[in-house]
Amino acid sequence: MTGLSSAEVTDGSDVVKLMWSDGFTARFHAVWLRDNALDPATRSASNAQRLITLSDIPAGTKIVDASIADGALTVGFAPEDKQVEFPSDWLRANAYDVQADRAPGWISPGLETWDSEFDVARVTGAHAEVFEADAALRDWLSAVRCHGVAKLTGGPAESGALLDVAALFGYVRETNYGRWFEVRTEVNPANLAYTGLGLQAHTDNPYRDPVPTLQILYCLENSAAGGDSQVVDGFAAAHRLRDEDPHGFDLLARHCARFEYRGTGDVHLVSRKPMIELSPDGELTALRFNNRSTAAITDVPFDDMADYYAAYRRLGEIIDDPGMAVSFKLEPGECFIVDNTRVLHGRTGYGDSGGSRWLQGCYADRDGLLSTLSVLENNAVANVA
Ligand code: OGA
Ligand code: ZN
């Protein structure tokens, strides 16, 4: 990265305008810089947490001087009479004076969407390597972050082995289905997943708020005919809908659907959330799609309901389009993990002509996975440096 070349205090000392030697410019507000000061009186030297509140910073904070030396900016703040140094790279990485021309449904540039052409080998790790080598684990977790799915081969076909996969990066999310659940044909199934029926590609548990953000499905037996797994990139599906029918996309994003699960016994879960979730600035943050647990939708205005249903139907058609799905049949000892806010999973029906199929599933959350990945990445950089 290039260094800072000039600093100019402007706007009545409320702003500093910085220029880098490659011509990049960015303005920063006095209060923003003061709040983000990196000195040990503002941030703890041991854990980097902020020691002050905004009320500790005078409301009329100004920049009285700004100078560049040794690749860093030094700013003097009044009325506190405080000098703070900001590294050039830190300022560049945190510049906010940039034109963000983002269409609704934009996704982070670090994500890659995919369709049926996607080679699942790109996100497949070998159990022995991912469990033994940091670099292999890093690659495997980064596939989940980037593509929303990863597969693991060559693991033990042992009950409970999926918990060791979750422990690679984080923590199991225990639910009414238990710490993990058995996915095999049951006589009085608590969920249609525990039958031989085919399942349309779906996200799990949209009736839960918050939804589990990760799901692991681990195969112990799969000799039955059928029972192939499918995964579909929900972000790619949402983008297709947006491109074909922006109004339909907008309806699914702007109005809440309702989801419900009434289990046997004492479980009753309900949620009121959109099928396509956008952040306030339009980032596509989650998809909820599950025919089994969509409840009566009552939050769409009467005049929009027909178009809403047309968009819901079209989204389902896109998800069912063979051009979107990647299919594979899990072998015993294999598993896959999906980002349950993005990638839908389904299966073909099985069990009509003998054989057995037994999967175990569990939920976990993305915070732990992203944290582990970030630490592995930082360690890798530190080892190179
Ligand atoms: C599930 C599910 C798919 C399968 O248990 O959530 O979708 O392959 N199972 O059995
Ligand atoms: Zn499922």
Side-chain angles (χ1 to χ4, degrees), residues 16-363:
V16 62
K17 182 174 180 184
L18 302 180
M19 185 182 277
W20 274 260
S21 48
D22 64 353
F24 178 79
T25 62
R27 294 167 298 170
F28 293 87
H29 292 90
V31 67
W32 187 96
L33 285 170
R34 176 63 192 91
D35 190 37
N36 288 294
L38 302 163
D39 65 291
T42 307
R43 285 197 176 263
S44 158
S46 60
N47 61 31
Q49 289 205 289
R50 189 182 279 99
L51 295 160
I52 62 167
T53 71
L54 193 52
S55 307
D56 295 318
I57 301 172
T61 289
K62 301 274 184 194
I63 299 170
V64 285
D65 54 72
S67 58
I68 297 165
D70 298 331
L73 171 76
T74 300
V75 176
F77 294 102
E80 284 180 280
D81 192 19
K82 185 176 174 71
Q83 302 273 312
V84 180
E85 197 177 285
F86 297 91
S88 160
D89 290 354
W90 185 90
L91 290 162
R92 182 82 175 233
N94 289 286
Y96 57 89
D97 185 15
V98 285
Q99 259 341 79
D101 196 11
R102 289 160 159 176
W106 63 274
I107 55 172
S108 156
L111 306 187
E112 279 175 43
T113 56
W114 46 267
D115 60 17
S116 63
E117 303 283 293
F118 184 58
D119 181 5
V120 85
R122 284 181 59 197
V123 294
T124 301
H127 185 279
E129 288 166 22
V130 170
F131 273 71
E132 290 308 320
D134 279 359
L137 177 59
R138 197 176 67 225
D139 289 348
W140 195 70
L141 299 179
S142 115
V144 181
R145 181 177 61 190
C146 176
H147 297 99
V149 60
K151 205 176 151 190
L152 203 55
T153 58
E158 284 169 14
S159 176
L162 79 173
L163 301 182
D164 296 330
V165 178
L168 278 171
F169 58 78
Y171 309 93
V172 165
R173 166 108 72 102
E174 189 166 356
T175 70
N176 54 290
Y177 299 112
R179 255 172 83 64
W180 80 79
F181 42 90
E182 310 293 342
V183 186
R184 59 184 165 190
T185 303
E186 292 179 0
V187 179
N188 284 314
N191 191 298
L192 290 175
Y194 313 157
T195 67
L197 293 174
L199 299 175
Q200 183 189 28
H202 59 276
T203 62
D204 258 45
N205 293 198
Y207 42 75
R208 209 181 289 287
D209 182 12
V211 297
T213 47
L214 294 171
Q215 179 173 10
I216 297 169
L217 281 168
Y218 197 107
C219 177
L220 299 175
E221 295 173 10
N222 210 359
S223 61
D228 292 13
S229 304
Q230 292 115 16
V231 286
V232 174
D233 186 350
F235 282 7
H239 281 172
R240 257 184 80 178
L241 179 67
R242 179 188 64 179
D243 296 344
E244 280 180 19
D245 177 13
H247 178 60
F249 176 88
D250 184 56
L251 286 172
L252 296 187
R254 227 161 16 87
H255 298 295
C256 283
R258 291 195 185 217
F259 302 96
E260 180 168 19
Y261 173 78
R262 207 183 276 276
T264 46
D266 52 3
V267 181
H268 187 200
L269 294 157
V270 288
S271 75
R272 195 182 84 85
K273 290 283 175 183
M275 293 200 197
I276 295 174
E277 184 179 280
L278 305 181
S279 69
D281 62 353
E283 182 183 8
L284 179 54
T285 49
L287 211 78
R288 290 180 189 77
F289 188 87
N290 191 318
N291 68 302
R292 279 169 287 152
S293 50
T294 305
I297 297 169
T298 53
D299 297 282
V300 179
F302 180 88
D303 289 341
D304 287 325
M305 189 59 93
D307 286 353
Y308 182 94
Y309 255 88
Y312 175 25
R313 174 185 297 276
R314 185 61 196 142
L315 180 60
E317 286 168 356
I318 292 169
I319 286 165
D320 290 343
D321 179 347
M324 298 296 286
V326 170
S327 301
F328 47 85
K329 179 153 180 157
L330 287 175
E331 299 293 329
E334 293 187 344
C335 70
F336 68 94
I337 179 168
V338 284
D339 178 336
N340 188 50
T341 66
R342 169 179 171 187
V343 171
L344 304 94
H345 62 280
R347 68 159 185 241
T348 57
Y350 68 92
D352 291 341
S353 51
S356 62
R357 186 176 190 272
W358 177 22
L359 268 51
Q360 289 182 330
C362 73
Y363 301 117

